[in-house]
Amino acid sequence: MKYRYTKYVGDLLDDLDLEDLVAKLSDLLLASGFGNPYGMDDEERTMQALHDAILDALFNGGVLPEETIERLLGDPADADQADARSKLEELIQQIIERMGEQGYITTPPDLEAERERREQRGGFGPDRPSEPVKFEVTDKALDFLGYRALRDLLGSLGKSSFGRHDTREQATGVETIGAPKPYEFGDTLNLDAAATLLNAVQRQHEHGEPTSRINVTYQDLMVVQGEYQSSCATVLMLDCSHSMILYGEDRFTPAKRVALALAQLIKTQYPGDALKVVLFHDSAEEIPLAELGRVRVGPYYTNTREGLRLARRILDRQRKDMRQIIMITDGKPSALTQPDGRIYKNAFGLDPFIVAETCAEVAACRKSGIMINTFMLARDYDLVSFVRRVAEICKGKAYFTTPYTLGQYVLMDYMDKKTKTIH
């Protein structure tokens, strides 16, 4: 029996950080319709699109070391380029299969047959089947993208560590100047020693116990961790009118990414808080938080009043210390739902009727004790004027930002509120 010996190159997937790759693919996985604003299909989520995105990430995203890529492709001067392409295609197929195995995507059952057809055509070439094979993004992938977005955003705000507010400068993530509060399970221990001992002495004295030997119980512990952590109910209002993906810029995908990060922040650091999501366009509707990563832009106009009205109804059912609306938009109000259900629309300038009705709803929110903070992704004169008027009515804040800085503003605003006492 004859044996053929070749140089061992190892498993190329060993050099790949799959989580880093999934994060690099977030624009594709959170597809909002930017590549096809007028179509309602899911052309972005074809296997061909996934293949191309992985290929770009391998060569331009830094997910593989350069030496690994060189080992894969070999020397262009003497290597068999057809063999190199074949190895590259095989690596991409292995990555796709691993993404499926680890639960980031689901692929159709006939994926093997699709791969064979592609191999017969010489790889992922321009000739595609009449009905492209698609993949689906899983809840695990969306949850992970929210975690990575939160980690990246908090990392850009300051030094990170552990604890409820891991962007503070102190290594433990705890504010040393905060007022004491009773210990809760999971709190970072930064004990107020004096208050803890006084609690123990007072308890033993009240129960007639000798105080020569102080017994500190769980109930005696006091922790310095900021001021009172009030419960909060938040409705995140996302503008999904077509302006969010037009004019050469995708604004909706960053907005979704921020929403996923905020959901992760609340779930991991403020489990007593509530977060709901409302989309507004020609009209408005509430969506389950789990479906946020899958939504695309909707109809063309911006019915801000209907979004506020729905958000107010949702918050009126919440019994929390603080209730707020976070509104992310890039357009002025241009639609209104009339009493008979018809939609009045006017996209030219600021329609006085639409503005008046929208401001009346803002006033109703303030009357209900609901604060509105607006995060604006555009700065035209009419829009700035409208947003300032909203802020004046509800005593809220207006932030004029970009898709690239939106996350920092939203998270900083939310965490700042959590460190303040609500009277």
Side-chain angles (χ1 to χ4, degrees):
M1 180 180 294
K2 293 184 178 180
Y3 297 93
R4 183 180 175 213
Y5 295 94
T6 59
K7 181 180 179 181
Y8 175 72
V9 295
D11 188 349
L12 293 174
L13 285 180
D14 292 341
D15 295 329
L16 177 70
D17 185 335
L18 189 61
E19 290 188 347
D20 191 30
L21 174 64
V22 172
K24 291 290 194 302
L25 300 176
S26 63
D27 283 347
L28 172 69
L29 301 180
L30 296 176
S32 303
F34 181 58
N36 184 24
Y38 298 101
M40 298 309 292
D41 54 11
D42 290 331
E43 289 186 6
E44 294 96 336
R45 289 178 180 166
T46 63
M47 296 303 295
Q48 178 69 44
L50 180 60
H51 170 277
D52 295 343
I54 293 174
L55 182 64
D56 181 68
L58 291 177
F59 284 94
N60 303 314
V63 295
L64 276 181
E66 291 186 7
E67 55 269 20
T68 302
I69 296 177
E70 292 174 358
R71 190 174 65 196
L72 172 67
L73 300 180
D75 188 349
D78 56 13
D80 184 351
Q81 292 303 297
D83 182 61
R85 286 194 296 270
S86 176
K87 289 181 180 178
L88 181 60
E89 292 295 334
E90 182 179 356
L91 175 62
I92 294 177
Q93 287 296 334
Q94 291 174 353
I95 292 173
I96 293 175
E97 290 171 4
R98 182 164 291 188
M99 289 178 65
E101 291 170 357
Q102 296 198 12
Y104 291 109
I105 61 172
T106 56
T107 55
D110 61 343
L111 182 59
E112 184 64 29
E114 172 65 15
R115 182 170 66 175
E116 291 177 358
R117 287 195 297 269
R118 291 183 182 277
E119 290 175 348
Q120 292 172 1
R121 295 197 306 271
F124 286 78
D127 298 327
R128 287 188 280 178
S130 56
E131 294 184 2
V133 179
K134 300 177 181 178
F135 68 94
E136 296 294 333
V137 182
T138 64
D139 290 342
K140 175 183 176 179
L142 297 176
D143 192 56
F144 168 74
L145 291 177
Y147 157 75
R148 283 297 291 257
L150 176 62
R151 191 194 72 175
D152 294 343
L153 288 171
L154 291 184
S156 67
L157 294 179
K159 296 181 181 179
S160 62
S161 60
F162 59 91
R164 289 197 172 185
H165 299 287
D166 60 8
T167 60
R168 303 298 183 186
E169 297 294 328
Q170 189 179 348
T172 60
V174 178
E175 291 182 85
T176 58
I177 60 172
K181 76 175 188 68
Y183 174 77
E184 296 176 0
F185 179 76
D187 284 347
T188 304
L189 285 176
N190 186 26
L191 291 179
D192 184 336
T196 298
L197 292 175
L198 285 174
N199 275 351
V201 171
Q202 182 178 4
R203 174 183 52 78
Q204 291 181 226
H205 177 72
E206 290 175 351
H207 289 81
E209 301 173 7
T211 57
S212 57
R213 181 175 180 179
I214 301 175
N215 297 314
V216 178
T217 67
Y218 180 92
Q219 288 78 11
D220 296 327
L221 295 176
M222 297 291 287
V223 180
V224 178
Q225 185 158 344
E227 297 181 50
Y228 169 67
Q229 296 288 337
S230 59
S231 62
C232 177
T234 301
V235 170
L236 185 62
M237 278 180 54
L238 290 181
D239 182 350
C240 64
S241 61
H242 262 59
S243 63
M244 292 286 281
I245 58 169
L246 295 180
Y247 312 116
E249 184 177 46
D250 180 5
R251 298 167 176 173
F252 193 51
T253 302
K256 287 200 296 184
R257 189 177 288 113
V258 169
L260 291 172
L262 183 60
Q264 277 288 323
L265 177 68
I266 291 174
K267 181 171 67 174
T268 58
Q269 305 297 325
Y270 309 110
D273 289 5
L275 176 65
K276 306 293 183 180
V277 179
V278 167
L279 302 179
F280 64 106
H281 37 82
D282 284 7
S283 57
E285 71 271 356
E286 181 183 3
I287 64 167
L289 192 58
E291 294 301 313
L292 176 62
R294 299 182 177 90
V295 298
R296 295 163 61 96
V297 289
Y300 295 90
Y301 293 85
T302 307
N303 195 336
T304 307
R305 187 192 72 166
E306 194 64 19
L308 291 171
R309 178 178 289 179
L310 177 56
R312 178 166 58 86
R313 289 201 297 265
I314 294 172
L315 289 172
D316 280 343
R317 299 194 296 266
Q318 299 288 331
R319 294 295 179 263
K320 300 290 185 180
D321 298 318
M322 179 174 65
R323 296 177 298 160
Q324 66 171 342
I325 295 172
I326 296 176
M327 180 166 62
I328 301 175
T329 182
D330 74 337
K332 57 185 177 293
S334 57
L336 201 68
T337 303
Q338 300 184 89
D340 60 4
R342 291 183 301 168
I343 308 296
Y344 171 76
K345 305 171 183 177
N346 183 2
F348 300 98
L350 280 176
D351 186 302
F353 174 56
I354 295 177
V355 171
E357 292 295 317
T358 303
C359 289
E361 181 57 38
V362 172
C365 288
R366 181 189 176 187
K367 185 176 181 180
S368 294
I370 298 170
M371 178 178 291
I372 303 173
N373 286 342
T374 307
F375 296 83
M376 195 57 53
L377 298 173
R379 297 195 180 189
D380 62 273
Y381 178 80
D382 288 342
L383 188 57
V384 171
S385 175
F386 167 73
V387 171
R388 285 178 174 170
R389 187 172 175 183
V390 169
E392 290 174 0
I393 293 174
C394 67
K395 305 301 181 183
K397 296 179 182 178
Y399 299 87
F400 296 89
T401 180
T402 70
Y404 310 103
T405 58
L406 174 65
Q408 286 90 333
Y409 279 100
V410 172
L411 263 65
M412 284 181 66
D413 178 76
Y414 190 88
M415 290 189 294
D416 283 347
K417 285 187 177 64
K418 294 300 294 181
T419 60
K420 295 177 181 178
T421 303
I422 305 301
H423 298 285

